[in-house]
Every structure is written in C-alpha cells, then in structure tokens.
Amino acid sequence: MLLKGSRYENARAFEAGEDGNRFPGVRPRTIGMASGVVEHVVKSGDRLDHLARHYYNDDRLWWRIADANPEFAHAAMMLAEDQVGRIILIPRARE
C-alpha cells in the first residue's frame, strides 16, 4: 500500500519472481520534463540531500534533483568526483 500523495501513488503494481518465488513490486513511474530549473555546478563534496536542503529547505526532496537529471543511471553518479564542474539541473520543488 502506497501512502496518499506518494510520488508512486499512481504507479501500477506487478508481481515478479523466478522459481515460484513471487514478490510484489511497483512499475517505474513516469518522469516528466523538469520545469523552472536552476543550474548547479557540481562541487567536490556535494550531496543530494544537502542540495535539497539548500534549494528546497527539505533534504527529503533529493529525488526531485535526481529525476531532473535522467542521464545519470544512479543518483550517486551525479556527484561523483569525476563530475566536479559539471552542471546539473535543480527543478522547482513542486509541480
């Protein structure tokens, strides 16, 4: 059961597994284009939760930053040392 207002609230459920071991899951949710973005230059030591605290005053909204930068397969890749100097997008906190 997903909480009302969760970003996964409208995602479709599924069951998967092999060898008869079934487990429930949630399909990926649709991620739209980011709107009202600010460009942030990655600095050494940046963390998504710290950026969310700075831009949104809520460190739990780090996923908004990850969603706005889909070219990264994993959120941690955005702030790796080899990304220092790269520009990432910081979207508006609410749609």
Side-chain angles (χ1 to χ4, degrees), residues 2 11-16 22-28:
L2 300 172
R12 297 180 329 200
F14 73 95
E15 285 196 16
R22 309 287 293 171
F23 65 91
V26 177
R27 297 252 180 245

Side-chain angles (χ1 to χ4, degrees), residues 4 12 32 36 39 43-44 47 51-53 63 82 84 90:
K4 183 176 176 140
R12 297 180 329 200
E39 293 180 345
K43 296 183 282 304
S44 182
R47 288 181 23 186
L51 293 177
R53 168 68 61 191
W63 59 270
D82 64 340
V84 170
I90 309 292

Side-chain angles (χ1 to χ4, degrees), residues 10-74:
N10 297 320
R12 297 180 329 200
F14 73 95
E15 285 196 16
E18 38 187 76
D19 302 328
N21 295 323
R22 309 287 293 171
F23 65 91
V26 177
R27 297 252 180 245
R29 62 192 169 79
T30 303
I31 300 174
M33 294 293 294
S35 62
V37 298
V38 171
E39 293 180 345
H40 174 83
V41 178
V42 175
K43 296 183 282 304
S44 182
D46 274 352
R47 288 181 23 186
L48 286 177
D49 58 335
H50 291 173
L51 293 177
R53 168 68 61 191
H54 174 76
Y55 288 104
Y56 307 137
N57 200 31
D58 187 344
D59 55 1
R60 297 171 297 172
L61 294 178
W62 63 267
W63 59 270
R64 300 272 307 140
I65 301 168
D67 283 0
N69 296 277
E71 65 274 16
F72 296 98
H74 187 274

